[in-house]
């Protein structure tokens, strides 16, 4: 997948995943990687930036598999930001899909 596509949607993926439940960094990387091939190094700077911007809070929780894990929790400001991002995403994808469909229709019409 195009790297620029991934960069553009990574914010949204993290926000959506944290809307459902608190998660630690590696867990977020794994969940996103199940759907989109990403590098671990692309998620942690994003988490730091969004935490600094007030969209997440963090807390440590003991783990049975090693040191305590840093969990990320979406704030009310983060939830509002998620809604803005979802609206932008829907508008963006609708516009792109319309362009693609128009192009396909024009190709079909010109081949007749």
């Amino acid at each position: 997948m195009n790297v620029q596509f991934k960069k553009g949607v990574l914010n949204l993926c993290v926000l959506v995943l944290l809307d459902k439940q608190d998660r630690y960094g590696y867990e977020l990387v794994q969940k996103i990687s199940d759907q989109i091939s990403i590098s671990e190094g692309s998620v942690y700077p994003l988490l730091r930036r969004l935490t600094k911007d007030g969209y997440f809070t963090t807390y440590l929780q003991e783990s049975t598999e090693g040191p305590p894990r840093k969990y990320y929790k979406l704030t009310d400001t983060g939830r509002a930001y998620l809604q803005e991002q979802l609206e932008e995403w829907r508008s963006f994808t609708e516009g792109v899909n319309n362009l693609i469909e128009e192009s396909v229709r024009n190709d079909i019409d010109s081949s007749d």
Side-chain angles (χ1 to χ4, degrees):
M1 180 183 282
N2 182 306
V3 173
Q4 295 304 317
F5 286 173
K6 291 180 200 177
K7 284 183 179 178
V9 299
L10 203 50
N11 261 16
L12 183 58
C13 292
V14 168
L15 288 163
V16 164
L17 288 171
L18 290 176
D19 188 39
K20 302 295 176 206
Q21 67 182 73
D22 301 353
R23 295 178 189 271
Y24 55 94
Y26 187 69
E27 183 182 17
L28 286 165
V29 170
Q30 291 301 307
K31 282 296 273 186
I32 295 168
S33 293
D34 287 347
Q35 302 297 323
I36 304 167
S37 176
I38 60 165
S39 71
E40 191 175 331
S42 60
V43 173
Y44 288 101
L46 173 72
L47 291 172
R48 279 193 293 278
R49 183 174 53 79
L50 293 176
T51 301
K52 185 179 172 191
D53 292 345
Y55 299 131
F56 307 141
T57 58
T58 62
Y59 61 92
L60 292 177
Q61 186 169 322
E62 292 298 323
S63 168
T64 57
E65 299 173 17
R69 291 180 171 154
K70 186 178 190 178
Y71 277 77
Y72 294 85
K73 179 182 179 71
L74 202 59
T75 63
D76 288 342
T77 303
R79 282 200 168 70
Y81 182 58
L82 169 61
Q83 292 310 310
E84 289 173 24
Q85 293 282 293
L86 284 172
E87 286 175 26
E88 283 185 35
W89 175 253
R90 288 180 185 122
S91 175
F92 175 77
T93 56
E94 184 180 321
V96 171
N97 286 335
N98 287 340
L99 288 171
I100 292 170
E101 288 171 19
E102 283 176 23
S103 176
V104 169
R105 262 187 262 127
N106 287 341
D107 286 348
I108 291 171
D109 292 344
S110 64
S111 67
D112 289 339

